[in-house]
Amino acid sequence: LYTIKFEMSNSSGVIVIDAVFGHISLAASVPGILGNAWILKVFMLEKQQLSKKIFILIAITHLMTSFWSAIPFGVSRLMARAPMLFQYSPFCNMSGVVFNITSRLSVFLISVLSFTRCLAILRPMKHISTRIVMGSVVGYSIFQLLIGSIPFFNYLRSDNPAILYQFEPNYSNCVWLVDQIVTYGTIAYEVAEYLLLFVPYFFPSLIVLTCCCICVVSLIRSSSKFPLSYSPSMVSRASNSRRLRAVSVDVEGEVLPRAAHFNRRCVAKYKATRTITLVTLLFVVLNFPYWVMLLLFFIEKNTGLQFVDYRNDFVRCLFVFCTNVSPYLNAGINPFIYMKCSRRVSVPVLVGSLRYLNDIRDRSANMLRNMLTS
C-alpha cells in the first residue's frame, strides 16, 4: 500500500546498498523466524496476562513478516532486484497482503503495548480492561485486512489482473498503488493517502514517543528507589534478610514493608517496564527516520515548501530502508531483547545450546579416538 512510485538508478553505490539491504534482511530473518517461534511457545504458557497477550501478537506479526517478506526481499535485492519468488502471482498476492497488514499491525501493537504500560505507571490503581484492548486489536486487524483486500475487490468487479498486487523492483516487494484505484488529486485520493500513511504510521508514533519517554523516566526513578545493597538482581537472593524485611520502600505510590512484597511486586514492575521500554526504544530508533520523512512530506504537501530531494538515489534508498528493511530488523532483534530480559526465554536456549555444543564435542572426540585407534 504505497502512494509513492519512483525509479532507482543502477549506479555502483546503489548496487552496494542493495547488497547490504539484502544481507541484512536475510540475516535478520533467521532470528526473526526461530526466535519469534520460540518466544511464541514460551509466552503461550503465560497468556493470561495482558502484556503477554500483546507480546504473543507481536511475535506472530514478526514471524509472518520474517517468513513471507524478509527472505524474498533479501533474495531479490541480492539478485539485482529480480522478482525471484515474487514472479508467482499467488505468492506475490499473499506476500503483499501479509506484509502490508503485519507492518501496520506491528506499529499498532507497539503503540498499544506502550500506552497500556504508560497507563499502568500513571494510574496504577486503574484496571485496564483486557476485552477493550484485545477488541481494539481485533477490530484494527479486520480493518487492515479489508484495506489490504481492496485490489481483490476491484479485480472481481473489473476482471483486470493489472490492479492486483504487482512486483515493484525498486521496493523489491509486491505492492499496489493508490492511483490504480482512485484518481490522483481527487478528494478520494487525499482520504486514501491519510488512511494508508498517516493513520497507521504517523499518529501512532506520537503515542509511542510520549509513552516511551514516560517509561524511561519511570524506569530511572524505580531503579533509583532500590537501596544500593539491594539492586533488583539481588532482591531474590536477599529476600530472607532481616534488614530487608525491616525496610519499608515506597515504589510508585505503594508502601511495601516486607521483602516478599518487595520482591514480588516491585521487581516485577521494574522488569516489565524495562522489557517494554527496550522494545519501544528499538522500535523508535528503527522507525524515527520514517516518521521524519512522513512529517516533512506532510509539511511539503500543505505548504508547498520542499525540504527533501526525492530524486536523489540515497534518499530513495533511505525510503526503502524505512519501509522494508526496518521492519525486518525489528523482527530479528526483538527476540534478543526478550532473551535479555526474561529467564524463561533465555535459560532454555542457553541450556539447549550447551547441550548441543557438548554433543558436538563428544562426537568429535569419538571420531578422533576412532581415527587414532585405527
Side-chain angles (χ1 to χ4, degrees):
L1 303 176
Y2 299 100
T3 60
I4 302 175
K5 185 176 182 178
F6 57 83
E7 298 291 335
M8 295 179 63
S9 66
N10 291 318
S11 62
S12 59
V14 175
I15 293 175
V16 172
I17 294 176
D18 283 347
V20 172
F21 285 173
H23 285 97
I24 290 176
S25 301
L26 291 178
S29 65
V30 178
I33 296 174
L34 300 179
N36 285 293
W38 174 252
I39 289 167
L40 188 61
K41 177 184 176 182
V42 173
F43 284 168
M44 284 295 289
L45 302 176
E46 304 174 354
K47 59 183 180 180
Q48 68 276 6
Q49 300 179 9
L50 177 59
S51 60
K52 294 298 187 297
K53 291 181 179 180
I54 300 177
F55 280 134
I56 289 172
L57 295 176
I58 293 175
I60 293 175
T61 57
H62 287 171
L63 179 61
M64 296 178 66
T65 300
S66 300
F67 181 77
W68 282 101
S69 302
I71 295 177
F73 173 85
V75 174
S76 174
R77 222 65 188 177
L78 292 177
M79 298 297 176
R81 305 175 207 157
M84 306 306 291
L85 294 174
F86 293 121
Q87 63 183 328
Y88 304 103
S89 180
F91 182 85
C92 182
N93 288 304
M94 180 62 69
S95 177
V97 172
V98 169
F99 176 73
N100 285 284
I101 292 176
T102 54
S103 60
R104 286 160 173 78
L105 186 58
S106 177
V107 177
F108 182 76
L109 290 173
I110 294 294
S111 63
V112 170
L113 179 67
S114 59
F115 178 76
T116 53
R117 192 61 203 169
C118 179
L119 189 62
I121 292 173
L122 297 178
R123 302 186 65 181
M125 303 303 296
K126 181 177 179 59
H127 174 69
I128 301 176
S129 176
T130 304
R131 288 187 177 182
I132 295 178
V133 174
M134 300 307 295
S136 63
V137 172
V138 172
Y140 188 81
S141 302
I142 295 175
F143 174 70
Q144 292 299 331
L145 179 61
L146 292 176
I147 291 181
S149 303
I150 289 178
F152 302 106
F153 297 144
N154 284 281
Y155 174 74
L156 294 176
R157 186 178 61 180
S158 62
D159 198 23
N160 181 14
I163 63 176
L164 292 174
Y165 284 89
Q166 302 292 330
F167 176 74
E168 179 62 36
N170 298 294
Y171 288 107
S172 294
N173 212 332
C174 290
V175 302
W176 66 274
L177 302 174
V178 178
D179 53 12
Q180 294 176 340
I181 308 298
V182 294
T183 305
Y184 178 80
T186 60
I187 298 179
Y189 186 89
E190 299 292 333
V191 173
E193 198 170 53
Y194 275 96
L195 288 177
L196 301 179
L197 281 178
F198 294 100
V199 171
Y201 289 115
F202 185 72
F203 293 120
S205 67
L206 302 178
I207 300 175
V208 172
L209 285 173
T210 304
C211 294
C212 182
C213 295
I214 294 176
C215 287
V216 170
V217 172
S218 174
L219 193 66
I220 296 174
R221 291 181 58 189
S222 297
S223 61
S224 64
K225 289 181 180 180
F226 286 104
L228 293 179
S229 58
Y230 306 112
S231 62
S233 60
M234 299 174 60
V235 170
S236 59
R237 289 179 291 177
S239 59
N240 294 324
S241 172
R242 292 183 179 178
R243 181 182 178 185
L244 186 59
R245 287 178 182 270
V247 174
S248 295
V249 183
D250 182 10
V251 180
E252 298 178 1
E254 297 184 13
V255 178
L256 307 175
R258 297 183 61 82
H261 293 172
F262 185 86
N263 184 26
R264 183 176 64 253
R265 302 172 68 180
C266 180
V267 179
K269 288 183 178 181
Y270 180 87
K271 290 183 176 180
T273 305
R274 181 184 61 179
T275 304
I276 294 174
T277 303
L278 291 177
V279 171
T280 308
L281 279 175
L282 173 65
F283 180 80
V284 169
V285 170
L286 292 177
N287 289 272
F288 189 78
Y290 188 44
W291 297 339
V292 173
M293 293 184 70
L294 285 179
L295 180 60
L296 294 178
F297 178 73
F298 178 77
I299 295 175
E300 292 177 359
K301 186 176 180 62
N302 289 275
T303 61
L305 301 176
Q306 185 175 2
F307 301 98
V308 181
D309 182 13
Y310 295 100
R311 297 181 179 180
N312 187 288
D313 285 334
F314 294 102
V315 173
R316 295 173 176 178
C317 289
L318 177 61
F319 187 79
V320 173
F321 174 83
C322 294
T323 56
N324 290 273
V325 183
S326 175
Y328 308 148
L329 273 176
N330 196 4
I333 299 177
N334 256 359
F336 295 101
I337 295 179
Y338 298 139
M339 289 182 60
K340 171 66 177 177
C341 299
S342 176
R343 290 186 178 182
R344 292 180 180 272
V345 177
S346 60
V347 171
V349 173
L350 294 176
V351 171
S353 301
L354 291 176
R355 289 179 179 175
Y356 180 73
L357 293 176
N358 288 332
D359 291 340
I360 294 178
R361 184 193 62 183
D362 295 339
R363 292 177 183 178
S364 301
N366 291 332
M367 290 177 60
L368 182 61
R369 189 181 300 108
N370 293 333
M371 291 175 59
L372 293 177
T373 54
S374 61

